[in-house]
Every structure is written in structure tokens, then in C-alpha cells.
Amino acid sequence: MTCSACRAALSARLDGEPSHTSAEETGAGRHLAGCADCRDWLAVAQRLRELARSAPGPSPEWTRSLLAGVLGLEAPPVDRCG
Ligand SMILES: [Zn+2]
């Protein structure tokens, strides 16, 4: 298995894609055991995914500041009464 094929299989697994086969899994695992580059790549990929998961999502305030700052528009006040 090549590095790129291994990383594609690992990436799919990180994304939770069910499409990979067990053969790919085994091949990726075997490749990882012998390839420090891909182990480093996997560590970085997992860290990035954790950061993306823990990042705060857009809030009404964030949206307003984006509109005001980027578009130069004043967004309507946030309706907190729903
Ligand atoms: Zn590799």
C-alpha cells in the first residue's frame, strides 16, 4: 500500500465513511506500523479534527459582526424573544 492510499483510507475512517473495506483497513494498519510519516500524518489529522469539533459555531453575535465588519452592513438587532 502506498502512503497516499493509506492516508485516503485513514481519512475516510476519520470522516466516519463506511465505504472502506476491511482489506483497506488491514492494509492501512500494516502500512502505519511501518511508516512513521503516515503515523505523523494521522496524528495531525486527528488533532485538526478535534480542533474543528471544539471550535465554536456561528452565533447571532458572530454573524452580526461579520456582516458589519466584512460587508459594511448593519445587521438587524438579534431578536431574543424568539
Ligand atoms: Zn506511509
Side-chain angles (χ1 to χ4, degrees), residues 63-78:
T63 304
R64 288 186 68 196
S65 68
L66 182 75
L67 288 171
V70 176
L71 301 178
L73 298 174
E74 192 60 45
V78 176

Side-chain angles (χ1 to χ4, degrees), residues 1-10 13 22-42:
M1 175 175 267
T2 64
C3 285
S4 64
C6 175
R7 292 172 195 193
L10 294 173
R13 188 169 63 185
S22 59
E24 283 172 338
E25 280 278 288
T26 308
R30 203 178 301 146
H31 179 96
L32 262 188
C35 182
D37 280 351
C38 282
R39 285 199 298 272
D40 287 348
W41 179 92
L42 179 61

